[in-house]
Amino acid sequence: QCLVIPIRPCNYVSLYLPKLAENYTEDTWLKLRDAVSAIQNSTSIKYNLEELYQAVENLCSYKVSPTLYKQLRQVCEDHVQAQIKQFREYPLFCNSLDNLSFLKRMNRCWQDHCRQTIMIRSIFLFLDRTYVLQNSLLPSIWDTGLELFRTHIVSDTAVQKRTVDGILEQIELERNGETVDRSLIRSLLGMLSDLQVYKESFEERFLIETNRLYAAEGQRLTQERDVPEYLHHVAHRLEEENDRIMSYLDQSTQKPLINCVEKQLLGEHITAMLQKGLRTLLDENRVTELGLLYQLFSKVKGGLPTLLQFWRDYIKSFGGEIVCTPEKDKDMVQDLLDFKDKMDNVAQMCFTRSEGFINAMKEAFETFINKRPNKPAELIAKYVDSKLRAGNKEATEEELERILDKIMIIFRFIHGKDVFEAFYKKDLAKRLLVGKSASVDAEKSMLSKLKHECGAAFTSKLEGMFKDMELSKDIMIQFKQYIQNQSGPSNIELTVNILTMGYWPSYIPMEVHLPPEMVKLQEVFKLFYLGKHSGRKLQWQPTLGHAVLKAEFKEGKKELQVSLFQTLVLLMFNEGEEFSMDDIRAATGIEEEELRRTLQSLACGKARVLNKNPRGKDVEDGDRFNFNNDFKHKLFRIKINQIQMKETPGDLKKRIESLIDRDYMERDKETPNQYHYVA
């Protein structure tokens, strides 16, 4: 091979080099086009990929990048345009299997297109990273592939409708409980998302269909199912939709989808659901469903405020039934404590200790508990008395403390706290004077709680009662020493409690006829006490007295723990065998109604140490009484309870007048029968 070098070599080169470059470029492009065609048709590529990559780099170096880009785009576009034909072959109206077949073909076409585009891009990578990158207006090879598929396949009205219809059909089948190919749906929705047509082509229609489905389902199921079952259904539906979001829906769909489900299944039925089922859930203490109800209602607008109102109304209604039903008075306080525990548990376990719900509960309790003035206060005082009285075996000291704490919570809701104080003082006096307080520590603990709640002024008189009892113990120690130094000691042991009149409840003075031995002992004590405290005045209160009598029956000796009135009656039978009611009244001086109750306790109660003739539960004027020598009892010391006098409207009126005098209450200026608590 010889080269002929002309005289003017530059002109020779300029004539032949462009022709050589053009031939090289054409040949190389044909080789590349064949490779692209092979990729598109899924056939073997004749050339080494590295060789093809190098060919692209060489072409770019020959400054033919613009032409190469255009030619590549045209080849790809021609191929994509040809793909549309396979989708137009499907008939307009198809069954589910045909629709599924269509979706699978669309997915296969899309997957092939993506795979082909990736491979083509790997061959033309140099072009993509130089020429295309340097021209910001040109889409990359990958973006070109997406654009072509979007323009010629997915943007075709019929093809797009058939694709979206098919996807929606598959989702509806899944919502109805059928198994579908989730990977197929995920791939097709991913295609729509990659092609940037997801929102307008699919999501808008999907949300419309979802809204329609759940609107109809909500209307139907709220009628057919009870509330617990419906709540679990809603939770299950939300779980399913969230699973769809995780599995194949675009994340951008999550918020509008969940909002749609919550609105149609919950938001549209808030009031109806609460009216239908909240009372049952609360009555039956369905904490799981109540927690679910709160959780679901927290998701929808107006859910929790409406639930809170129904919760408040329920407490007022249920509590009002407890307080305003006289037949339930016996169990009122325990029912209130149980109800408060139950509602506390619901607020804590189901309503996440929401401050709003807790405050609503407090407001509701305060409202219903004061619907019936005075009675709750009275019964709470009596309930405390039953717990603090000796013989209460129900609770340990720790349990008793917890009960008192719970009582104080109920006590806080009461407006007429001075009514409570009046009854509490009366019962406390009885516990202290009869020595029937279960625990001094428990008594002082309760006093401390009342002081903390109501202030020192509220408890000052109650504290004074305790001081009187402590001082009385000291006085009795001194009196026993005094009596031992006196000549002729009595065979009666006397214990006296010195009570400051202002601290203790007011007692109606009653003059009774005491045996001479008792009168003598009273005078001895009076001489002793006034000798130490000149200027003071002693007023004996026989209504508060009690005694232990020794009695002898056929069965043997017994000790009877009785009131002073019972004592005076029983002592008469040392002097005679049988007495009429008039005989006993004349001998003892006991007021008639008090005497009837006293005789009733001795002759008609559980421990009948007297016989009544004629027999009967009530004591009548002509009845006669004799000592029951045949009386039997398993215990040696027997307590004979006095029949308690039921407080009448007249008694209550006296107490109200007393409260008005002390400026604790005032009459309503317009309605005299109404009273107001003075704070």
Side-chain angles (χ1 to χ4, degrees):
Q1 295 181 357
C2 298
L3 272 178
V4 179
I5 302 175
I7 297 172
R8 299 177 67 181
C10 291
N11 291 339
Y12 181 85
V13 171
S14 66
L15 288 172
Y16 289 97
L17 278 180
K19 186 67 177 177
L20 287 170
E22 185 178 333
N23 291 338
Y24 173 77
T25 302
E26 186 65 28
D27 292 343
T28 306
W29 164 244
L30 291 174
K31 183 192 296 186
L32 290 168
R33 190 185 65 184
D34 288 345
V36 170
S37 180
I39 292 169
Q40 291 171 336
N41 295 309
S42 301
T43 58
S44 300
I45 303 173
K46 299 177 183 178
Y47 311 101
N48 181 277
L49 290 178
E50 190 175 343
E51 181 184 345
L52 293 171
Y53 179 89
Q54 188 61 52
V56 172
E57 186 176 346
N58 291 340
L59 286 177
C60 291
S61 67
Y62 277 104
K63 309 297 183 185
V64 293
S65 297
T67 303
L68 182 61
Y69 181 82
K70 289 177 184 177
Q71 289 173 324
L72 176 61
R73 179 187 174 91
Q74 189 61 54
V75 169
C76 291
E77 188 167 18
D78 291 344
H79 175 75
V80 173
Q81 280 180 321
Q83 302 304 309
I84 195 69
K85 295 175 185 177
Q86 62 180 310
F87 300 111
R88 288 177 176 161
E89 295 171 357
Y90 279 84
L92 287 175
F93 302 101
C94 303
N95 57 33
S96 294
L97 289 176
D98 290 333
N99 289 337
L100 183 59
S101 173
F102 179 91
L103 292 180
K104 288 180 177 178
R105 179 170 291 190
M106 172 59 73
N107 186 53
R108 188 161 55 248
C109 179
W110 166 248
Q111 295 295 338
D112 289 346
H113 178 76
C114 291
R115 179 179 50 78
Q116 293 161 10
T117 304
I118 290 170
M119 243 183 131
I120 291 169
R121 181 179 179 273
S122 68
I123 294 172
F124 289 85
L125 189 60
F126 191 84
L127 176 69
D128 208 31
R129 289 184 173 177
T130 53
Y131 172 71
V132 176
L133 195 62
Q134 292 162 6
N135 291 270
S136 59
L137 298 178
L138 294 177
S140 66
I141 293 172
W142 174 257
D143 289 341
T144 299
L146 295 180
E147 178 194 329
L148 294 174
F149 199 90
R150 177 174 60 245
T151 303
H152 298 292
I153 305 290
V154 174
S155 291
D156 183 276
T157 304
V159 172
Q160 184 181 109
K161 186 175 185 306
R162 173 64 61 78
T163 303
V164 174
D165 284 349
I167 295 171
L168 290 174
E169 182 182 51
Q170 291 297 302
I171 294 174
E172 185 176 3
L173 288 171
E174 187 181 49
R175 281 172 168 167
N176 290 333
E178 296 188 31
T179 302
V180 298
D181 186 349
R182 284 189 157 196
S183 62
L184 174 63
I185 302 174
R186 178 167 55 248
S187 179
L188 290 171
L189 291 178
M191 172 190 77
L192 297 178
S193 183
D194 289 343
L195 298 177
Q196 298 181 339
V197 295
Y198 175 88
K199 194 171 188 66
E200 60 269 24
S201 67
F202 169 77
E203 185 181 84
E204 290 176 3
R205 283 192 58 196
F206 170 68
L207 292 175
I208 290 171
E209 290 299 313
T210 300
N211 199 68
R212 177 191 59 77
L213 168 73
Y214 286 123
E217 184 172 284
Q219 289 288 349
R220 177 170 52 83
L221 293 184
T222 49
Q223 299 297 321
E224 295 176 359
R225 300 187 179 184
D226 61 20
V227 171
E229 186 182 3
Y230 184 76
L231 288 172
H232 285 292
H233 173 78
V234 174
H236 183 63
R237 278 303 203 191
L238 286 169
E239 189 178 324
E240 285 180 341
E241 297 302 336
N242 276 303
D243 187 45
R244 286 186 187 96
I245 293 162
M246 297 296 292
S247 297
Y248 53 73
L249 293 171
D250 191 88
Q251 287 298 313
S252 64
T253 307
Q254 180 177 25
K255 188 173 181 180
L257 171 60
I258 299 304
N259 285 346
C260 173
V261 179
E262 290 171 348
K263 180 177 184 294
Q264 294 302 337
L265 293 185
L266 292 170
E268 297 293 333
H269 310 286
I270 290 173
T271 301
M273 287 171 61
L274 293 173
Q275 286 174 338
K276 183 178 181 180
L278 181 62
R279 186 175 186 96
T280 301
L281 292 178
L282 289 168
D283 284 348
E284 297 177 1
N285 203 30
R286 302 279 287 271
V287 290
T288 301
E289 285 76 15
L290 285 167
L292 181 58
L293 178 72
Y294 182 88
Q295 175 195 338
L296 292 174
F297 274 36
S298 67
K299 300 174 183 292
V300 292
K301 184 179 180 182
L304 290 186
T306 309
L307 174 59
L308 184 142
Q309 184 59 49
F310 273 80
W311 151 263
R312 182 192 287 119
D313 291 345
Y314 169 82
I315 294 173
K316 288 179 182 178
S317 172
F318 193 96
E321 290 176 16
I322 295 174
V323 169
C324 297
T325 308
E327 295 78 18
K328 296 183 178 180
D329 282 357
K330 181 180 177 183
D331 301 314
M332 180 198 290
V333 179
Q334 189 58 55
D335 287 347
L336 286 174
L337 291 174
D338 293 342
F339 183 49
K340 183 62 168 60
D341 280 347
K342 184 178 175 182
M343 293 301 98
D344 281 340
N345 186 56
V346 170
Q348 181 174 339
M349 301 292 292
C350 310
F351 299 162
T352 66
R353 301 180 184 175
S354 163
E355 185 177 350
F357 278 78
I358 290 173
N359 289 337
M361 174 173 62
K362 291 178 180 176
E363 176 198 325
F365 263 83
E366 185 173 354
T367 300
F368 79 70
I369 210 166
N370 291 292
K371 272 187 174 181
R372 189 180 174 194
N374 304 329
K375 198 63 180 179
E378 173 192 344
L379 294 178
I380 289 172
K382 290 182 182 299
Y383 184 87
V384 174
D385 176 57
S386 72
K387 297 301 177 184
L388 293 178
R389 200 185 306 141
N392 173 29
K393 308 290 185 183
E394 298 174 25
T396 63
E397 288 187 12
E398 293 78 11
E399 289 169 339
L400 180 57
E401 188 68 17
R402 282 196 293 271
I403 291 170
L404 295 180
D405 284 334
K406 289 180 179 180
I407 281 288
M408 290 307 299
I409 294 172
I410 301 295
F411 172 75
R412 286 190 190 107
F413 300 130
I414 294 173
H415 290 166
K417 291 182 170 59
D418 289 285
V419 175
F420 168 89
E421 187 243 0
F423 284 102
Y424 183 82
K425 181 194 283 189
K426 184 187 72 170
D427 293 330
L428 173 61
K430 192 177 295 183
R431 292 196 301 275
L432 293 178
L433 294 175
V434 183
K436 287 298 180 182
S437 182
S439 162
V440 174
D441 290 339
E443 293 282 7
K444 291 189 174 179
S445 173
M446 184 63 190
L447 206 60
S448 174
K449 295 178 197 300
L450 290 171
K451 188 174 186 177
H452 177 75
E453 184 65 30
C454 303
F458 186 87
T459 57
S460 61
K461 293 180 180 179
L462 302 176
E463 290 172 326
M465 293 165 69
F466 279 94
K467 289 178 183 176
D468 280 351
M469 296 304 293
E470 291 171 2
L471 288 173
S472 294
K473 288 179 183 177
D474 294 337
I475 290 170
M476 289 315 299
I477 292 172
Q478 297 171 22
F479 178 65
K480 285 182 180 179
Q481 292 175 345
Y482 173 83
I483 206 88
Q484 286 174 358
N485 296 329
Q486 302 298 310
S487 58
S490 173
N491 59 350
I492 302 174
E493 185 178 338
L494 176 68
T495 301
V496 181
N497 290 310
I498 311 298
L499 313 182
T500 305
M501 189 172 290
Y503 294 160
W504 296 76
S506 56
Y507 300 101
I508 299 172
M510 188 181 298
E511 292 293 332
V512 294
H513 305 154
L514 297 177
E517 297 92 335
M518 289 186 182
V519 173
K520 181 181 177 183
L521 208 51
Q522 278 186 343
E523 291 300 320
V524 172
F525 179 82
K526 184 177 180 181
L527 186 65
F528 157 77
Y529 183 78
L530 295 180
K532 287 182 171 291
H533 305 279
S534 59
R536 293 189 181 180
K537 182 180 178 182
L538 288 179
Q539 182 180 5
W540 296 94
Q541 287 288 355
T543 55
L544 304 178
H546 57 95
V548 175
L549 296 182
K550 294 180 179 179
E552 192 167 342
F553 302 94
K554 282 183 181 178
E555 188 184 55
K557 293 182 178 179
K558 300 284 186 184
E559 287 187 356
L560 305 179
Q561 194 172 343
V562 288
S563 71
L564 180 59
F565 293 154
Q566 290 170 328
T567 300
L568 297 180
V569 171
L570 290 174
L571 288 176
M572 287 184 65
F573 292 90
N574 286 334
E575 309 299 328
E577 294 184 0
E578 185 177 87
F579 299 96
S580 68
M581 182 176 167
D582 289 339
D583 295 336
I584 297 171
R585 181 169 60 245
T588 62
I590 301 173
E591 182 267 331
E592 184 175 341
E593 288 304 315
E594 189 69 56
L595 180 59
R596 286 184 192 276
R597 286 193 297 276
T598 301
L599 289 169
Q600 191 176 16
S601 67
L602 295 171
C604 307
K606 291 182 180 179
R608 300 183 180 184
V609 293
L610 296 181
N611 293 320
K612 184 175 83 74
N613 190 18
R615 292 178 176 273
K617 291 184 178 180
D618 297 317
V619 174
E620 306 297 342
D621 289 346
D623 291 349
R624 298 187 67 81
F625 301 86
N626 60 70
F627 184 69
N628 181 12
N629 201 31
D630 296 323
F631 174 77
K632 293 181 180 180
H633 201 283
K634 62 181 180 180
L635 298 178
F636 174 70
R637 175 173 282 195
I638 304 144
K639 178 172 174 29
I640 303 178
N641 292 318
Q642 183 80 338
I643 303 295
Q644 296 299 314
M645 178 177 64
K646 292 183 179 179
E647 290 189 298
T648 64
D651 298 317
L652 184 60
K653 186 176 180 182
K654 290 177 183 176
R655 293 186 182 278
I656 290 173
E657 293 295 338
S658 174
L659 291 170
I660 291 173
D661 291 341
R662 290 182 288 158
D663 294 327
Y664 288 134
M665 294 179 72
E666 63 182 10
R667 282 191 179 86
D668 188 276
K669 293 177 181 177
E670 297 181 0
T671 312
N673 290 333
Q674 289 188 2
Y675 301 91
H676 300 286
Y677 170 67
V678 179

